[in-house]
C-alpha cells in the first residue's frame, strides 16, 4: 500500500520560509516515479507547484513560484522536499504531494502539473502566510 505523508506546514509571515516534507511508504523512490507538489486554496482549483522525475535531474515549477521554491529528494530517507522561500500571502493553501510510480521521464515535462498524472496522494499540510 503506497502512502504519502506530508509535514512541515505552518504559519509564517510574508518573506519567511518553510520546508515541506513528503515521506513515502509502501514503495521505494527509485528511477521510475514522478513526484509532484500541488496546492489548493479555498474556492480555487488544485494547482501544480513543482514536479520532478526521480530518474532525472530536471525539475518543473509553476511560474508563480519559480526562483522561490525548490523540489528535491532524499532517496535514503524516501522523502521528497519542497523548500519554500520568500513566501507571499498568495502562497497560502493546503499543500499536497502526489506520485505516479511508473512515469514516462521524457513526456513528464508536458503533464507534470496535471493532477490526473498522479495516482497516489497525501492528506496535505496547511501553509498560511500573513502579510
Amino acid at each position: 500500500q503506497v502512502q504519502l505523508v506530508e509535514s512541515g506546514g505552518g504559519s509564517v509571515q510574508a518573506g519567511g520560509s518553510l520546508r515541506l516534507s513528503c515521506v513515502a511508504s509502501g514503495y521505494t523512490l527509485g528511477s521510475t516515479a514522478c513526484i509532484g507538489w500541488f496546492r489548493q486554496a479555498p474556492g480555487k482549483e488544485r494547482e501544480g507547484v513543482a514536479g520532478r522525475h526521480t530518474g532525472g535531474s530536471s525539475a518543473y515549477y509553476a511560474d508563480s513560484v519559480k526562483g522561490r521554491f525548490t523540489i528535491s529528494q532524499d532517496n535514503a530517507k524516501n522523502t521528497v522536499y519542497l523548500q519554500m522561500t520568500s513566501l507571499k500571502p498568495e502562497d497560502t493553501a493546503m499543500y499536497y504531494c502526489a506520485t505516479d510510480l511508473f512515469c514516462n521521464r521524457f513526456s513528464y515535462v508536458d503533464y507534470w502539473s496535471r493532477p490526473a498524472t498522479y495516482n497516489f496522494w497525501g492528506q496535505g499540510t496547511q501553509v498560511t502566510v500573513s502579510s
Side-chain angles (χ1 to χ4, degrees), residues 1-128:
Q1 181 76 14
V2 176
Q3 288 190 325
L4 302 174
V5 179
E6 303 96 334
S7 63
S11 297
V12 295
Q13 290 191 326
S17 300
L18 285 172
R19 188 178 77 160
L20 306 184
S21 299
C22 173
V23 179
S25 62
Y27 83 105
T28 301
L29 284 178
S31 60
T32 65
C34 50
I35 302 285
W37 281 99
F38 287 77
R39 66 186 181 188
Q40 189 166 18
K44 294 188 176 181
E45 291 187 354
R46 192 164 292 193
E47 172 192 21
V49 174
R52 66 172 291 149
H53 195 283
T54 57
S57 59
S58 297
Y60 309 102
Y61 298 94
D63 288 343
S64 58
V65 306
K66 278 181 182 176
R68 300 188 298 121
F69 290 13
T70 304
I71 185 172
S72 62
Q73 66 185 71
D74 184 334
N75 288 351
K77 296 182 179 180
N78 227 35
T79 300
V80 177
Y81 301 99
L82 184 68
Q83 179 69 50
M84 306 186 296
T85 63
S86 302
L87 283 162
K88 303 176 181 180
E90 52 263 43
D91 295 319
T92 295
M94 185 71 79
Y95 283 71
Y96 302 88
C97 65
T99 187
D100 178 15
L101 300 186
F102 299 99
C103 188
N104 187 308
R105 184 174 62 173
F106 302 103
S107 58
Y108 180 57
V109 61
D110 295 324
Y111 54 79
W112 72 268
S113 63
R114 302 178 190 174
T117 297
Y118 307 88
N119 43 29
F120 296 100
W121 291 79
Q123 293 300 306
T125 185
Q126 177 69 38
V127 172
T128 303

